[in-house]
């Protein structure tokens, strides 16, 4: 590859999660491209490009920081559009935590399907390919007419459980019916028992009554979910599990959004640990919450980028986590 | 009362939404528009929009508890919600179009931007015309104005001896000092540019720009988001766009859907005729060449004299490093000056122009600007400037600005224009009459 300059991986990082970009760049053995994103005093976003992307394979890494989702999204769109005008050969948006993934259906009259809007916007801006991790609903892939690689944190979670516990002591618990598939998949791989908590949700960000289906007595209950936002669900679920005789309760969650009072809620809960991946920038939350553990997802993303660039299959990553 | 029409307001300018609704004699559409704690926008439209003609008012201005990009995303989400809610037609009404102005970043001959590290922190001591000089060879830091030594005259003489000084010698030091390139709401240091550099955009955090280096041999450039924003609006589902005084009329061409670009000109003209005594003897001035067309249109229709301020970017003989100076084309001595521009953002352009006009002997200086964004240091700059009156429209919320600028600021109401435009678009009447009423 030494002689040929064109069509190499160009990794461009947005402002939301430079730490993850650096880790990915290190894995790939490339440098993060020289660009800067800034805001003008009138709050418009400016994106300055300091190196050529002509005919290169561009990967734009942008997660969405909690509280600043729209800011990150606009920045990503501007970056994509800038690379397209600069004649990049292919533009892949690497969005570990897909924004608006929960607004994926018209659940009320005149409710927006914002996930679809985001999908359309990304394609309008010029994205040719999307790489993301644990989409809230994999159907979101259908909103795109470009390829979407939905990576899974599951292999990393399996490794974490195997390294820290003996699977026969554990019960995998899904905190809601929607996540049952995700949880059963992990339970099947580990060959452990499975339980489910049924909940009623009267309003967004508010949790109603909960009922446990299954047996967790004298076991380590492991809650599995794709995102932990205000953590109301997780904490209530943990309390229900404890009431039903679980020895200890921990949670494995892909996206640690942890908005609002999540940290305080966690600190005051019966959860012994919340394990998240670093798809979402966590800031000082790790210091503020001793229960928070972080699994590095960058090897999976970096390998997906490498494979995508070289035209190799990505499906290996659905079952294996690179070390 | 207009039937089958729904006016939906964003969070950026509730007052304008209210007055437009009042003018149309209908209530604003009930909606929930907030943020989830994760930062994602939450939008629910309460009233039915099925088969309706929907107008969504959202201006391109960050404020009211959210940022500009939040407001823009809200707009796209509202458009898309109405579309999925079977609205017949969705019109985006953007009194100030976001991202319409392309950044104006100066480059020197080597291709690197003319930025310089912060030298004075958090200054608030703007004075009438002593916007501080930039340190340069042979220029003392406090150039002339505070210690009485008038360096400008000295340099003027020097340039005249050289035989080719600029017509209005805003030379060395003075004009340069006016180029502020920084300071955001974060209270970062107010930063000054290299001599000659001049920008219409302030960065919130300049130190990052200063530390940035492009790859050797590559000339860095700034992405221009105008086309993208146009595409995003149409991709969200906007069938029609109404805006006012686009900075570049070419932006209209970025859209695949009809764009009605209304003019604030009639309002400004009305103000001149009603509130400026002896306006027939005044001079209308464009603060830069780009706005000449806008200003001449007003000057011609009123039969008033016209002058132009020209920003010269050539290197002059005085110093190689200085490559921007301003010169006035036309005569303003002892006359009332009326500056016309479309946007006042950092306030750089109009305050510089006012200073030059004062120097040229203007009796009184008015500035008439359609969009008064006033970001960064603008308020301080304007308070300290030679401007006597600043007239803006309420295309963006002006309450804060009014509180800070007091009687210096006059706000004109554009709600009737937008209400009339909405009414006419809804009924399929021509709106060209709005371009030219007196």
């Amino acid at each position: 590859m030494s002689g040929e300059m064109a069509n190499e991986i160009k990794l461009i990082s947005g402002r939301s999660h430079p730490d993850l970009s650096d880790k990915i760049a290190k894995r790939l053995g490339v440098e993060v491209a020289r660009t800067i994103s800034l805001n003008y005093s009138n709050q418009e976003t400016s994106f300055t490009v300091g190196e050529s992307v002509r005919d290169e394979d561009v990967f734009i890494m942008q997660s969405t920081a909690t509280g600043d989702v729209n800011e990150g999204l606009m920045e990503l769109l501007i970056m994509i559009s800038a690379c397209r005008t600069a004649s990049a050969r292919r533009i892949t948006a690497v969005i570990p935590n897909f924004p608006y993934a929960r607004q994926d259906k018209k659940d009320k009259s005149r409710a927006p399907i914002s996930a679809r809007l985001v999908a359309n916007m990304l394609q309008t801006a010029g994205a040719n390919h999307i790489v993301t991790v644990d989409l809230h609903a994999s159907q979101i892939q259908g909103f795109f007419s470009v390829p979407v690689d939905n990576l899974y944190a599951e292999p990393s979670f399996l490794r974490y459980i195997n390294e820290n516990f003996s699977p026969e002591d554990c019960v995998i618990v899904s905190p809601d019916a929607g996540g049952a598939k995700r949880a059963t998949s992990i339970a099947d791989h580990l060959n452990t028992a499975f339980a489910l908590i049924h909940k009623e949700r009267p309003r967004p960000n508010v949790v109603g009554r909960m009922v446990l289906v299954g047996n967790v007595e004298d076991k380590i209950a492991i809650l599995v979910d794709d995102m932990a936002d205000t953590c109301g669900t997780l904490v209530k679920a943990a309390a229900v599990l404890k009431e039903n005789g679980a020895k200890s309760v921990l949670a494995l969650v892909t996206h640690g959004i942890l908005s609002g009072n999540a940290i305080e809620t966690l600190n005051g809960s019966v959860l012994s640990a919340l394990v998240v991946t670093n798809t979402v920038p966590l800031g000082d939350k790790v210091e503020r919450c001793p229960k928070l553990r972080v699994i590095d997802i960058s090897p999976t993303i970096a390998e997906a980028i490498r494979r995508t660039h070289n035209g190799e299959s990505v499906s290996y990553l659905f079952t294996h986590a690179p070390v | 009362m207009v039937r089958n029409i729904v006016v939906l307001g964003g969070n950026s300018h509730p007052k304008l939404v209210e007055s437009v609704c009042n003018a149309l004699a209908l209530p604003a559409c009930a909606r929930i528009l907030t943020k989830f704690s994760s930062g994602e926008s939450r939008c629910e439209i309460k009233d039915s929009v099925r088969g309706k003609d929907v107008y969504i008012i959202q201006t391109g201005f960050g404020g009211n508890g959210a940022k500009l990009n939040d407001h823009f995303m809200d707009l796209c989400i509202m458009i898309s919600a109405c579309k999925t809610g079977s609205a017949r037609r969705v019109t985006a009404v953007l009194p100030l179009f976001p991202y319409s102005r392309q950044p104006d970043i100066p480059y020197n001959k080597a291709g690197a931007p003319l930025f310089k590290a912060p030298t004075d922190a958090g200054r608030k001591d703007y004075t009438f015309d002593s916007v501080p000089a930039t340190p340069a060879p042979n220029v003392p830091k406090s150039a002339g104005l505070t210690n009485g030594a008038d360096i400008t005259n000295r340099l003027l003489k020097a340039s005249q001896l050289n035989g080719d000084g600029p017509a209005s010698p805003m030379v060395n030091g003075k004009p340069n000092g006016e180029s502020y390139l920084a300071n955001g709401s974060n209270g970062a240091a107010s930063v000054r540019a290299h001599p000659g550099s001049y920008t219409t955009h302030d960065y919130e955090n300049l130190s990052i720009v200063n530390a940035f280096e492009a790859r050797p041999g590559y000339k860095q450039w700034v992405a221009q988001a105008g086309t993208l924003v146009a595409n995003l609006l149409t991709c969200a589902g906007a069938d029609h766009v109404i805006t006012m005084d686009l900075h570049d009329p070419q932006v209209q061409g970025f859209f695949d859907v009809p764009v009605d670009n209304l003019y604030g000109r009639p309002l400004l003209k009305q103000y001149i005729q009603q509130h400026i005594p002896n306006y027939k003897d005044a001079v209308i001035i464009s603060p830069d060449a780009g706005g000449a067309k806008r200003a001449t249109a007003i000057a011609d229709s009123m039969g008033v004299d016209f002058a132009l301020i020209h920003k010269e970017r050539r290197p002059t003989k005085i110093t190689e490093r200085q490559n921007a100076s301003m010169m006035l084309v036309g005569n303003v001595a002892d006359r009332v000056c009326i500056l016309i521009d479309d946007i006042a953002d950092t306030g750089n352009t109009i305050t510089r122009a006012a200073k030059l006009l004062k120097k040229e002997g203007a009796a009184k200086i008015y500035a008439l600007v359609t969009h008064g964004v006033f970001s960064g240091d603008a308020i301080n700059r304007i308070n300290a400037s030679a401007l006597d009156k600043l007239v803006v429209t309420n295309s963006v919320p002006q309450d804060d600005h009014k509180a800070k600028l007091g009687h210096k600021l006059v706000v004109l109401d554009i709600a009737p224009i937008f209400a009339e435009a909405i009414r006419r678009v809804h009924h399929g009447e021509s709106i060209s009459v709005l371009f030219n009423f007196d």
Side-chain angles (χ1 to χ4, degrees):
Chain A
M1 221 177 257
S2 53
E4 201 180 318
M5 285 303 288
N7 199 20
E8 293 190 358
I9 294 176
K10 274 277 168 189
L11 183 67
I12 292 177
S13 170
R15 267 179 296 180
S16 66
H17 204 347
D19 177 51
L20 184 59
S21 308
D22 288 344
K23 283 184 174 142
I24 293 171
K26 215 169 189 179
R27 284 288 294 202
L28 291 168
V30 300
E31 264 181 63
V32 176
R34 293 195 196 182
T35 60
I36 35 169
S37 310
L38 288 167
N39 279 63
Y40 294 120
S41 55
N42 66 4
Q43 299 184 357
E44 287 177 5
T45 304
S46 102
F47 177 60
T48 309
V49 184
E51 67 181 77
S52 173
V53 296
R54 184 176 296 272
D55 222 9
E56 304 281 13
D57 198 6
V58 176
F59 292 84
I60 301 177
M61 219 314 282
Q62 175 84 314
S63 183
T64 42
T66 304
D68 250 352
V69 173
N70 293 333
E71 204 63 28
L73 182 58
M74 271 308 282
E75 188 182 311
L76 173 63
L77 294 169
I78 291 170
M79 288 192 288
I80 293 172
S81 151
C83 289
R84 190 169 68 160
T85 51
S87 313
R89 180 177 292 186
R90 179 173 66 173
I91 300 163
T92 305
V94 182
I95 317 165
N97 174 33
F98 195 85
Y100 289 98
R102 278 172 289 182
Q103 297 183 31
D104 55 356
K105 58 194 165 297
K106 199 168 154 180
D107 48 6
K108 283 188 210 83
S109 302
R110 298 173 295 280
I113 308 173
S114 306
R116 190 190 160 91
L117 176 67
V118 172
N120 285 343
M121 284 176 142
L122 288 167
Q123 292 172 92
T124 303
N128 306 112
H129 195 129
I130 311 289
V131 173
T132 181
V133 180
D134 272 342
L135 275 176
H136 184 61
S138 51
Q139 287 85 344
I140 290 173
Q141 289 178 78
F143 293 164
F144 285 91
S145 53
V146 297
V148 179
D149 286 324
N150 183 20
L151 305 171
Y152 299 109
E154 187 187 293
S156 308
F157 284 160
L158 288 173
R159 178 184 296 147
Y160 181 88
I161 295 171
N162 277 322
E163 281 174 359
N164 292 280
F165 309 98
S166 51
E168 54 270 23
D169 297 341
C170 301
V171 185
I172 306 296
V173 185
S174 170
D176 57 17
K181 241 181 149 178
R182 198 173 288 119
T184 45
S185 168
I186 291 188
D188 288 351
H189 274 101
L190 293 168
N191 215 0
T192 60
F194 165 75
L196 183 138
I197 289 172
H198 174 68
K199 73 173 170 187
E200 293 141 12
R201 189 195 283 273
R203 284 196 308 280
N205 291 348
V206 178
V207 187
R209 211 166 55 91
M210 292 185 147
V211 190
L212 175 71
V213 184
N215 186 14
V216 295
E217 228 163 291
D218 291 329
K219 298 268 193 180
I220 301 167
I222 301 177
L223 283 158
V224 173
D225 207 351
D226 64 333
M227 55 177 77
D229 190 347
T230 53
C231 291
T233 312
L234 278 181
V235 167
K236 282 213 172 169
V240 170
L241 292 170
K242 220 40 189 198
E243 278 164 29
N244 283 279
K247 204 168 16 166
S248 68
V249 185
L250 71 149
L252 294 184
V253 175
T254 311
H255 307 296
I257 297 167
L258 306 178
S259 72
N261 294 324
I263 299 297
E264 291 71 31
T265 313
L266 280 176
N267 283 337
S269 74
V270 296
L271 273 176
S272 60
L274 172 64
V275 184
V276 298
T277 68
N278 56 350
T279 52
V280 182
L282 291 165
D284 63 347
K285 285 170 190 157
V286 182
E287 285 93 75
R288 279 165 54 209
C289 181
K291 292 178 179 178
L292 198 61
R293 315 273 148 77
V294 183
I295 298 177
D296 186 14
I297 196 79
S298 68
T300 303
I301 297 175
E303 183 62 13
I305 290 176
R306 195 194 63 74
R307 283 171 182 258
T308 306
H309 174 66
N310 293 326
E312 297 168 21
S313 165
V314 174
S315 55
Y316 174 83
L317 295 173
F318 298 161
T319 46
H320 297 78
V323 188
Chain B
M1 179 73 187
V2 194
R3 278 163 193 276
N4 252 336
I5 180 169
V6 172
V7 175
L8 179 58
N11 287 329
S12 61
H13 201 345
K15 266 195 159 172
L16 183 68
V17 176
E18 202 189 310
S19 19
V20 168
C21 285
N22 282 342
L24 291 168
L26 49 85
C29 179
R31 90 292 196 259
I32 295 175
L33 186 59
T34 52
K35 260 183 166 189
F36 288 112
S37 56
S38 64
E40 292 176 0
S41 299
R42 174 185 174 196
C43 168
E44 270 174 46
I45 292 161
K46 291 290 184 189
D47 296 340
S48 170
V49 294
R50 188 174 296 272
K52 299 274 176 70
D53 197 8
V54 182
Y55 294 83
I56 306 177
I57 303 176
Q58 181 84 296
T59 196
F61 182 75
N64 218 346
K67 295 179 185 167
L68 180 129
N69 287 336
D70 287 321
H71 289 317
F72 181 71
M73 275 304 294
D74 284 354
L75 173 64
C76 292
I77 290 172
M78 282 189 287
I79 294 173
S80 135
C82 290
K83 272 304 210 195
T84 49
S86 309
R88 184 165 59 81
R89 183 172 63 169
V90 180
T91 305
V93 182
L94 296 133
L96 170 58
F97 197 87
Y99 292 97
S100 58
R101 229 156 37 104
Q102 313 289 18
D104 172 22
I105 293 201
Y107 290 88
N108 68 9
K109 276 190 265 173
L114 289 157
F115 288 128
K116 201 184 169 193
T119 48
D120 58 346
R123 54 172 301 124
K124 292 274 175 258
D125 56 335
Y126 296 91
T127 59
F128 173 66
D129 64 348
S130 71
V131 190
T134 303
N138 308 321
V139 178
K141 196 170 180 185
S142 54
L145 294 151
T146 45
N147 61 16
D150 194 348
I151 188 125
T152 313
N153 281 340
R154 210 171 69 215
L155 287 159
L156 170 58
K157 266 184 224 148
S159 71
Q160 280 167 343
L161 287 175
N162 281 338
D164 62 353
S168 37
M170 294 288 292
V171 285
N172 214 351
K174 289 294 203 52
N176 317 332
E178 286 182 327
S179 316
Y180 284 85
L181 279 170
N183 189 2
S185 43
N186 54 7
S190 182
V191 185
R192 162 187 332 127
H194 247 283
S197 73
Y198 167 66
T199 174
T200 51
H201 285 69
D202 281 3
Y203 278 107
E204 276 191 345
N205 195 346
L206 191 70
S207 53
I208 303 173
V209 184
N210 289 324
F212 181 70
E213 270 177 38
R215 212 163 271 288
Y218 190 75
K219 184 170 167 176
Q220 73 184 57
W221 53 280
V222 178
Q224 304 192 329
T227 326
L228 174 70
V229 166
N231 288 340
L232 292 178
L233 284 174
T234 40
C235 124
D239 299 300
H240 193 134
V241 174
I242 302 177
T243 181
M244 180 178 253
D245 276 348
L246 277 173
H247 183 69
D248 295 313
Q250 285 82 353
V251 170
Q252 247 175 312
F254 295 170
F255 282 92
D256 294 330
V257 298
V259 177
D260 286 319
N261 184 19
L262 305 174
Y263 294 114
R265 194 192 299 152
L267 268 183
L268 303 183
K269 204 169 134 184
Q270 207 177 22
Y271 179 86
I272 294 172
Q273 286 165 335
Q274 289 174 359
H275 294 95
I276 300 182
N278 301 327
Y279 70 90
K280 290 272 182 202
D281 301 325
V283 191
I284 297 224
I285 290 144
S286 170
D288 55 17
K293 249 186 151 167
R294 213 170 287 124
T296 45
I298 294 188
D300 287 351
S301 69
M302 294 195 303
V304 177
D305 280 352
F306 171 76
L308 179 114
I309 291 170
H310 173 58
K311 269 182 278 188
E312 199 177 334
R313 294 254 165 103
R314 294 191 288 254
T316 59
K317 264 199 183 167
I318 298 157
T319 153
E320 269 293 304
R321 291 171 66 193
Q322 189 219 323
N323 61 358
S325 59
M326 289 175 103
M327 58 167 77
L328 178 72
V329 184
N331 185 16
V332 298
D334 296 325
R335 295 174 77 175
V336 173
C337 293
I338 305 168
L339 279 160
I340 304 276
D341 207 352
D342 60 338
I343 300 182
D345 182 354
T346 62
N348 245 324
T349 309
I350 51 166
T351 49
R352 278 166 67 96
K355 184 179 163 190
L356 174 60
L357 294 174
K358 208 68 182 178
K359 195 160 285 235
E360 294 286 327
K364 200 166 182 195
I365 303 169
Y366 291 85
L368 276 67
V369 178
T370 310
H371 307 294
V373 178
F374 306 139
S375 72
D377 267 356
I379 298 281
N380 290 337
R381 235 174 242 159
I382 289 162
N383 259 330
S385 73
L387 288 170
D388 294 302
K389 245 329 174 245
L390 178 57
V391 182
V392 297
T393 72
N394 60 349
S395 63
V396 300
Q398 295 290 354
D399 291 355
D400 273 5
H401 304 152
K402 183 76 189 162
K404 287 179 193 149
L405 286 168
H407 64 281
K408 220 172 193 179
L409 188 75
V410 177
V411 181
L412 307 175
D413 188 16
I414 53 162
I417 299 184
F418 276 94
E420 183 62 12
I422 289 173
R423 198 191 62 76
R424 281 171 182 268
V425 169
H426 175 65
H427 289 294
E429 295 170 21
S430 163
I431 66 157
S432 56
V433 68
L434 288 178
F435 299 157
N436 222 343
F437 72 84
D438 283 305

